Amino acid sequence: GGASRIWRVSPFAKDDRPIVVSPAGPGDFRVDPGGRWIAYLYPGRAGIWRRALDGEGRKLVGPEEQLVSDFAPADWMNWAVTADAIFYASRPAGLGAGRIRRLDLLSKQLTDVADATFVHRQSSFAAGPDGELIVPIRAVEIDLFHMELTR
């Protein structure tokens, strides 16, 4: 039981106790490359949210903003953050078909960038430093054979 929280731990501090960054609720998360905000998911809920970090990266501040609503909980590993965008798999829960989408964080413009049909739900994808995606693809090969059966 219990609710998830985001914690911060310094590996170099004399006092190695974790610091609570978020209130109860957020689960999986990504920090933007500049350390200005955290994007996160709520377990079992569709969508990706964001909140600013204080200047020291010690706690979430300001209002919560839902960035996208068409991100299914089953794709919880299939999203990535860059300095100016969020990439994510947009597909109905239970279906493989869908699109990888890019949300421009400044203009809020959504762009379809690739087919998500063969992106495996249980393998995460990432964004490289120049914004390209690194995506695991589930490939299925089917070989057909003809067999003559004799009696």
Side-chain angles (χ1 to χ4, degrees):
S4 61
R5 287 183 168 78
I6 298 170
W7 296 76
R8 179 178 179 265
V9 179
S10 173
F12 307 108
K14 292 177 184 174
D15 181 3
D16 63 353
R17 290 179 297 159
I19 298 167
V20 177
V21 173
S22 76
D28 194 46
F29 67 95
R30 311 278 191 274
V31 179
D32 91 294
R36 300 164 299 173
W37 48 267
I38 291 180
Y40 51 88
L41 312 176
Y42 283 105
R45 288 176 54 191
I48 299 174
W49 288 263
R50 170 174 80 165
R51 278 187 71 190
L53 283 166
D54 68 1
E56 298 176 359
R58 292 185 170 271
K59 65 180 177 177
L60 296 176
V61 295
E64 178 178 76
E65 174 186 15
Q66 185 172 11
L67 298 172
V68 298
S69 59
D70 60 339
F71 181 74
D75 271 311
W76 68 276
M77 296 179 75
N78 291 320
W79 64 297
V81 170
T82 66
D84 60 353
I86 290 186
F87 293 87
Y88 66 98
S90 173
R91 52 188 165 186
L95 298 177
R99 303 293 298 164
I100 295 175
R101 302 185 89 186
R102 178 186 187 274
L103 172 68
D104 183 284
L105 293 169
L106 186 59
S107 70
K108 303 298 187 218
Q109 180 178 357
L110 278 171
T111 306
D112 287 348
V113 296
D115 183 5
T117 301
F118 297 107
V119 174
H120 195 278
R121 287 190 190 270
Q122 299 304 314
S123 299
S124 62
F125 62 74
D130 61 353
E132 83 280 1
L133 287 180
I134 303 163
V135 182
I137 300 293
R138 179 189 68 229
V140 177
E141 287 186 26
I142 298 173
D143 295 319
L144 298 176
F145 295 95
H146 176 265
M147 297 172 60
E148 287 190 31
L149 301 175
T150 58
R151 289 185 191 204

